[in-house]
Amino acid sequence: MKNKLLSGTFWMSFGSIFSRVLGVVYLIPWLMMLGSQQHQLSAQAMFNAAYTPYALFLSLGTSGFPTAISRKIAGYNAQNRYLDSQRLFKAGLLFMSISGFICGGLLFGFAPMIASGSPVTSVQATTTVIRFLTPALFILPVMSIIRGYFQGNQDMKPFGISQLIEQFIRVIGILGATYVSYRLLGRSLTVAVSLSTFATFFGAIASLVYLGWYYYQRRTQYQAQLSHSVPAAQLDLKADFITILKEALPFVFVGAGITLSQLIDQFTFKQIMLHVTTESATTIQNLFTLFAANPNKITTVIISLALAVSETTLPILAGVQHDRTKVTEVIVNNFKMLFGLIAPMIIILALLAPQINTVFFGFDVQGGHLMRWAIVVSLPLAIFTDVFTLIQALGQHRRAVTLLVVGLALKGLTQVPLVYLFHANGALLSTFIAFTTISIAGVVYLLRTSDITLKVKHSDVTTMFTVVGQFLIVALIVYGLGDRLFPVSDRVLAFIFAAIEGSLMLGIFGLLGSFYSLPSMALNLKIGRQYRQYKHFR
């Protein structure tokens, strides 16, 4: 069971994290092509104003359906009902095609309203950028259901690789379209950003082609499953879809939780700032870019790792939810893997935030400060992503939805006073308070619903917290000395500083982890002479 979790997490992480790394790295040449810093800030603001509502409509377009389908398929497969799985999958493809067209049309229609409420200086330009994203919504829901089919068969490899292909083609499209339209043809910034968003469509097409090819390559395996399947039952697809929708709607709401929080920032920050300050619309747009758009490129890598762990755990936990002992084992393995991977990453990235901000977006003291706190805020967001998926895997949809409603209400209630008092920092603090509160409540529920006793039976988890605490202290000292002795404000020097300090901190964490046997504890890795026996990723 743990091997399945680790192997699945590897492939999910491989695609999810590397695709997001690509989504960060391309920013350096892309922003350099746009010229002045103000053009860069404006482009990022329009990009973010388009992608956040797009992410929400994408969630609505999939309606949590792939996750629900993967659970249903995993259940059918466990009963050797492969024919029923195949029939459900085909019906799901039709449903998701219709869903994609509906949501694409809604995003196109609501684009002017979304743009007018966003912290941007040009509503018309942002409307155009948003509308160039709609073609991707016609493809992505279908692609997501195919990924859900593979996930239900506990084959995470195509899920991860398809994500990487999608992002790679998208990045090539962004850079190529910007260079030709903006640098060669001298078209406007709006055209360059619009074509950059349209590249998402080409990435989706490429990913869909790969998934089709992967299925074709393994058609013999799936045909063998069908030939050994029990006879197809008289499925009531209408009843099944109603059941799936009832399961899926909580998933889509919870899955969109972070996006909904970001939309609260997008639709309230400008209005609050205009009422409590004398700052211009351009200044407010730039501030929004610094605390929301720019850090989001980094924090999405962290959250994607938590998502990879949780999505891999989901079908496994769903399959053993009636066995309390196995539920406890899955949750413990999940927690150890999550915190063993997430905590050191957040510590290193948060400390190096000023240098990271300089490398990607140019030297900006305020930008580096806001990025650091945004990365810290990503910790409760990552925990929320993982823990709430586990809660729903146990069938506790109402609990997950109720807690998220409480969290969003906290975000809404604290947004105005905190933005009034602390401006951009207030928006980040509001998110931190909201998601920390509900994440703690979720963890407490999981501890109570399983047989986890941190101090005795599952001391590995406690040991992991000890390692992370010690690493935080040492990392603070190492970074503090480096920053004092070698302050940098240049892109190249900032990259060198981040590479050296980051490698040093990783080495320190590796030594601490090795001393406490953390790799074996969290990942079940065989180290040294035994590494050749490690076959989980084959």
Side-chain angles (χ1 to χ4, degrees):
M1 184 184 300
K2 188 168 183 177
N3 290 355
K4 286 184 180 179
L5 176 59
L6 182 56
S7 177
T9 300
F10 170 79
W11 286 115
M12 296 287 281
S13 301
F14 175 81
S16 184
I17 294 175
F18 278 93
S19 67
R20 282 159 178 79
V21 168
L22 274 176
V24 175
V25 172
Y26 89 88
L27 285 171
I28 298 176
W30 186 63
L31 292 175
M32 289 177 66
M33 280 190 278
L34 296 179
S36 70
Q37 187 176 20
Q38 184 54 52
H39 278 185
Q40 294 177 17
L41 291 170
S42 297
Q44 282 283 77
M46 286 191 290
F47 214 81
N48 194 68
Y51 263 95
T52 303
Y54 161 79
L56 178 62
F57 276 93
L58 181 59
S59 296
L60 294 174
T62 57
S63 297
F65 213 78
T67 303
I69 281 285
S70 72
R71 292 186 65 192
K72 199 78 173 176
I73 287 175
Y76 282 154
N77 290 351
Q79 302 171 40
N80 200 30
R81 296 171 59 186
Y82 294 104
L83 289 171
D84 292 335
S85 295
Q86 197 80 352
R87 185 181 175 194
L88 184 64
F89 168 60
K90 290 178 180 178
L93 283 175
L94 176 61
F95 180 86
M96 297 304 284
S97 299
I98 298 171
S99 175
F101 276 96
I102 292 173
C103 288
L106 288 173
L107 180 61
F108 189 91
F110 282 111
M113 186 185 302
I114 294 169
S116 63
S118 302
V120 292
T121 54
S122 175
V123 173
Q124 184 176 359
T126 305
T127 299
T128 302
V129 171
I130 294 171
R131 284 178 166 170
F132 266 80
L133 270 174
T134 55
L137 281 177
F138 301 149
I139 302 295
L140 289 172
V142 173
M143 184 173 65
S144 68
I145 200 72
I146 298 174
R147 287 173 173 171
Y149 175 78
F150 288 120
Q151 186 181 4
N153 281 281
Q154 297 190 21
D155 186 357
M156 308 299 177
K157 183 177 179 180
F159 198 122
I161 294 180
S162 67
Q163 284 184 312
L164 188 59
I165 291 173
E166 178 187 352
Q167 187 71 293
F168 179 76
I169 298 300
R170 172 179 169 268
V171 166
I172 295 297
I174 289 173
L175 296 179
T178 302
Y179 180 76
V180 172
S181 66
Y182 195 72
R183 304 297 292 185
L184 291 184
L185 302 180
R187 303 301 295 273
S188 67
L189 183 66
T190 303
V191 171
V193 178
S194 297
L195 292 176
S196 295
T197 57
F198 188 67
T200 304
F201 175 74
F202 294 109
I205 291 292
S207 180
L208 190 62
V209 169
Y210 165 77
L211 289 171
W213 173 83
Y214 186 89
Y215 182 87
Y216 179 78
Q217 290 291 103
R218 283 152 183 79
R219 66 191 184 283
T220 304
Q221 172 188 333
Y222 288 110
Q223 288 170 357
Q225 290 178 344
L226 294 175
S227 65
H228 291 90
S229 171
V230 299
Q234 289 296 110
L235 290 181
D236 186 345
L237 286 177
K238 182 179 178 181
D240 273 354
F241 271 74
I242 292 174
T243 301
I244 288 172
L245 282 173
K246 287 180 179 178
E247 290 186 16
L249 289 176
F251 271 104
V252 67
F253 178 64
V254 174
I258 295 175
T259 302
L260 290 170
S261 174
Q262 292 170 339
L263 285 173
I264 292 175
D265 286 332
Q266 182 167 328
F267 293 134
T268 64
F269 183 73
K270 178 176 74 173
Q271 287 73 11
I272 297 170
M273 290 291 289
L274 286 174
H275 281 86
V276 303
T277 70
T278 58
E279 301 288 358
S280 67
T282 299
T283 301
I284 294 172
Q285 172 190 267
N286 295 345
L287 195 57
F288 177 75
T289 300
L290 292 179
F291 90 82
N294 289 354
N296 186 53
K297 302 298 190 299
I298 307 300
T299 57
T300 189
V301 177
I302 299 169
I303 296 170
S304 70
L305 180 57
L307 187 62
V309 175
S310 65
E311 286 186 340
T312 304
T313 307
L314 176 65
I316 299 174
L317 189 57
V320 300
Q321 61 180 302
H322 301 298
D323 188 327
R324 189 180 179 90
T325 302
K326 290 184 178 179
V327 165
T328 301
E329 180 186 350
V330 172
I331 292 176
V332 169
N333 289 336
N334 174 279
F335 279 1
K336 289 192 294 185
M337 190 175 298
L338 177 73
F339 290 106
L341 294 172
I342 292 290
M345 179 186 293
I346 289 178
I347 291 171
I348 294 172
L349 291 177
L351 289 174
L352 294 173
Q355 289 75 29
I356 293 171
N357 187 75
T358 301
V359 170
F360 289 104
F361 309 108
F363 179 72
D364 188 302
V365 175
Q366 187 178 29
H369 170 79
L370 290 171
M371 177 168 286
R372 172 171 288 161
W373 287 113
I375 291 172
V376 172
V377 171
S378 70
L379 175 60
L381 296 180
I383 296 172
F384 159 80
T385 299
D386 180 68
V387 166
F388 275 58
T389 301
L390 299 188
I391 291 174
Q392 292 187 96
L394 293 172
Q396 295 293 315
H397 303 294
R398 180 174 296 180
R399 183 183 300 273
V401 169
T402 302
L403 284 175
L404 179 55
V405 169
V406 170
L408 293 175
L410 278 174
K411 170 68 177 173
L413 290 172
T414 58
Q415 179 82 346
V416 174
L418 290 177
V419 171
Y420 172 76
L421 292 172
F422 307 112
H423 298 176
N425 285 302
L428 292 173
L429 181 58
S430 174
T431 302
F432 183 84
I433 291 171
F435 282 87
T436 298
T437 302
I438 62 175
S439 294
I440 291 174
V443 170
V444 169
Y445 167 74
L446 289 177
L447 293 178
R448 287 178 177 174
T449 199
S450 59
D451 297 322
I452 300 175
T453 306
L454 296 181
K455 292 184 179 179
V456 184
K457 189 174 180 180
H458 301 287
S459 58
D460 284 355
V461 180
T462 309
T463 302
M464 192 167 296
F465 280 112
T466 302
V467 175
V468 170
Q470 292 176 357
F471 174 64
L472 175 60
I473 295 171
V474 177
L476 282 169
I477 295 172
V478 169
Y479 176 79
L481 289 174
D483 189 46
R484 181 175 292 274
L485 293 174
F486 306 102
V488 296
S489 58
D490 174 81
R491 247 194 180 104
V492 176
L493 293 178
F495 176 80
I496 296 172
F497 180 94
I500 295 173
E501 285 275 321
S503 299
L504 185 59
M505 284 189 268
L506 276 176
I508 292 170
F509 184 76
L511 290 174
L512 282 172
S514 179
F515 179 79
Y516 285 98
S517 300
L518 197 62
S520 174
M521 195 183 302
L523 304 176
N524 197 29
L525 290 173
K526 296 177 175 66
I527 300 176
R529 296 178 182 176
Q530 294 180 318
Y531 84 98
R532 293 183 183 277
Q533 301 175 24
Y534 189 62
K535 303 175 181 177
H536 299 162
F537 300 152
R538 292 187 178 181

